[in-house]
């Protein structure tokens, strides 16, 4: 099984970028392998935008993508990659 701790150990660096004049926040999760996973969040109402929440939700989006990738890797390890011609 894969745990959140396993994924955190694979993370080298996390960066955030707020797109100017928008409520869009991007999260870049750099893995030790060199792979980059991106997450994003956006707020509908510009007046309700909260930078900390934007970063939190963008990070969660990136981690959700990482779960999918980790699940794929684990599935291959458990069952072996089978390819049909």
């Amino acid at each position: 099984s894969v745990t959140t701790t396993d994924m955190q150990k694979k993370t080298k660096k996390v960066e955030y970028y707020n797109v100017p004049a928008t409520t869009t926040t991007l999260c870049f999760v750099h893995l030790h392998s060199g792979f980059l996973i991106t997450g994003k969040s956006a707020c509908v109402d510009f007046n309700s935008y909260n930078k900390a929440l934007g970063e939190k939700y963008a990070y969660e989006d990136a981690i959700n993508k990482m779960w999918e990738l980790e699940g794929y890797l684990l599935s291959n390890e458990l069952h072996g990659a089978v390819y049909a011609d």
Side-chain angles (χ1 to χ4, degrees):
S1 68
V2 178
T3 67
T4 302
T5 302
D6 294 329
M7 292 194 303
Q8 290 170 339
K9 289 178 182 176
K10 294 179 180 188
T11 300
K12 181 178 181 178
K13 176 172 69 169
V14 177
E15 295 179 296
Y16 298 97
Y17 176 74
N18 298 94
V19 179
T22 74
T23 62
T24 300
T25 303
L26 303 174
C27 175
F28 303 99
V29 177
H30 300 260
L31 303 182
H32 290 287
S33 67
F35 197 78
L36 177 68
I37 298 175
T38 60
K40 67 179 178 177
S41 70
C43 177
V44 174
D45 181 5
F46 194 81
N47 295 319
S48 298
Y49 177 73
N50 177 302
K51 183 177 185 251
L53 287 177
E55 290 178 356
K56 175 184 183 286
Y57 296 137
Y59 177 77
E60 288 174 359
D61 185 47
I63 293 302
N64 285 335
K65 292 175 183 177
M66 192 172 176
W67 274 113
E68 286 186 50
L69 295 170
E70 290 294 328
Y72 172 78
L73 287 174
L74 180 59
S75 177
N76 275 343
E77 287 176 18
L78 295 175
H79 304 289
V82 177
Y83 301 99
D85 289 334

